[in-house]
Amino acid sequence: MLSSLDAYAPSKPSFWAILLVDVQPRHVITAIVLLAVASVLSRVVSVGFKRARERHLQRGTLLPETATQLALTRRLLHIAIWVTSISAVLSQFQALRVISTGLLASAGLSGLIVGFAARSTLGNAIAGLTISITQPIRIGDDVELRGERGIVEDIHFTYTVLRLLVDGRRLIIPNDALASEVVKNATMGGVTRIARAEVLVPPGGSPDTVRSALLAVANGFEHLDRAGTPPEVYFVRIDERGTLLRLVATCNDPPSADRLVQKALARASQVVFRRAL
């Protein structure tokens, strides 16, 4: 039997009712401001690292180590900015603070389950961080893995992008595989650096003329490694877009290789656009 007091007992308020009661206009405004500041800071970081990379390119000092470290630092700063801002936004609401405390207190079994389910993702993230710090491979390196050879375009936290030399396709490799398998790195291990420059000759252009111009620039470069393999220009692809040529030459050091790439591309643009006009 229910007593008269039980019949008129107030019902327990829902979570959303508690949250809406706790929400104040100043909390909402603070949250919006924090997210806006995070967005601006994230944009500033991206622009700053982009300009730093461009300055290294102009000076010819963009080493593979530098490019990899810049990419890793930029991503770490982005994560730090957004994690900090979101945490500050959630801390504005009392109900969310209580829920967060409860989740942390009961995270024993849940943490084990989530960790077991995400072990592959966490392993790739840790491997990506390890690769970026120890740098067994770097952005711009010529590597071979599982019979596929290509250039490392980017190193993310969970995967690495490899541009294949055969057809230019992108190969997405989990970082865990890079950390646990044998990878051949043709760029590291010596004092020389291989320079590669790709030029797309339009259908109306002359691939032979561009090829001769690229070889002339490479053979006349003052910092070419004369003891290494002579420069060569390969026909990579021929389709409706034109003919894709690739110059491969060995220089004395990485900055010299970057300068040779710039010289080769500048000369190729002169030849291609002159014939187009």
Side-chain angles (χ1 to χ4, degrees):
M1 297 294 293
L2 294 176
S3 64
S4 58
L5 293 178
D6 293 333
Y8 293 99
S11 60
K12 185 178 179 181
S14 64
F15 163 74
W16 293 110
I18 297 175
L19 181 60
L20 291 177
V21 170
D22 184 59
V23 170
Q24 300 293 332
R26 61 184 180 87
H27 294 158
V28 177
I29 295 175
T30 302
I32 294 175
V33 170
L34 289 173
L35 293 177
V37 171
S39 179
V40 172
L41 287 177
S42 181
R43 177 63 178 170
V44 169
V45 168
S46 298
V47 173
F49 277 90
K50 181 179 179 181
R51 291 181 178 177
R53 191 176 189 279
E54 290 175 352
R55 285 196 299 269
H56 280 290
L57 282 174
Q58 293 173 359
R59 298 171 184 171
T61 59
L62 186 62
L63 304 179
E65 298 90 342
T66 306
T68 304
Q69 291 169 357
L70 287 175
L72 172 65
T73 307
R74 176 177 57 85
R75 293 190 177 100
L76 286 176
L77 287 177
H78 279 302
I79 292 176
I81 289 172
W82 283 107
V83 168
T84 303
S85 63
I86 293 175
S87 300
V89 168
L90 293 179
S91 66
Q92 299 298 313
F93 307 100
Q94 182 66 30
L96 295 180
R97 287 202 298 266
V98 173
I99 292 177
S100 177
T101 303
L103 288 176
L104 291 175
S106 60
L109 181 59
S110 300
L112 291 175
I113 296 174
V114 173
F116 181 80
R119 66 188 186 281
S120 178
T121 302
L122 293 176
N124 285 322
I126 295 173
L129 185 61
T130 304
I131 290 172
S132 299
I133 294 175
T134 60
Q135 297 191 353
I137 63 171
R138 305 159 302 181
I139 296 176
D141 281 1
D142 182 359
V143 301
E144 182 177 348
L145 174 68
R146 299 178 180 175
E148 300 284 358
R149 183 177 177 182
I151 305 299
V152 179
E153 279 197 342
D154 204 351
I155 300 176
H156 297 265
F157 280 113
T158 57
Y159 64 91
T160 295
V161 181
L162 190 69
R163 177 167 52 84
L164 300 181
L165 294 177
V166 177
D167 51 12
R169 291 179 298 130
R170 269 60 178 179
L171 186 65
I172 309 301
I173 306 173
N175 287 331
D176 195 18
L178 289 175
S180 60
E181 296 189 15
V182 177
V183 180
K184 295 181 180 179
N185 194 326
T187 304
M188 298 180 64
V191 296
T192 61
R193 162 81 188 277
I194 299 176
R196 294 176 181 81
E198 293 187 350
V199 177
L200 180 63
V201 183
S206 174
D208 292 332
T209 303
V210 178
R211 181 178 183 274
S212 300
L214 291 174
L215 287 175
V217 171
N219 288 317
F221 188 59
E222 61 273 15
H223 296 291
L224 185 71
D225 184 6
R226 306 295 174 179
T229 304
E232 186 56 81
V233 176
Y234 301 94
F235 287 80
V236 179
R237 185 182 68 247
I238 301 176
D239 54 23
E240 66 278 0
R241 293 173 294 178
T243 303
L244 181 62
L245 302 178
R246 178 182 294 122
L247 168 68
V248 179
T250 305
C251 299
N252 293 328
D253 48 55
S256 299
D258 292 333
R259 289 195 294 271
L260 176 56
V261 170
Q262 296 300 317
K263 287 178 177 292
L265 293 178
R267 178 56 180 158
S269 65
Q270 293 175 355
V271 175
V272 170
F273 287 109
R274 181 187 305 166
R275 295 186 64 87
L277 294 176

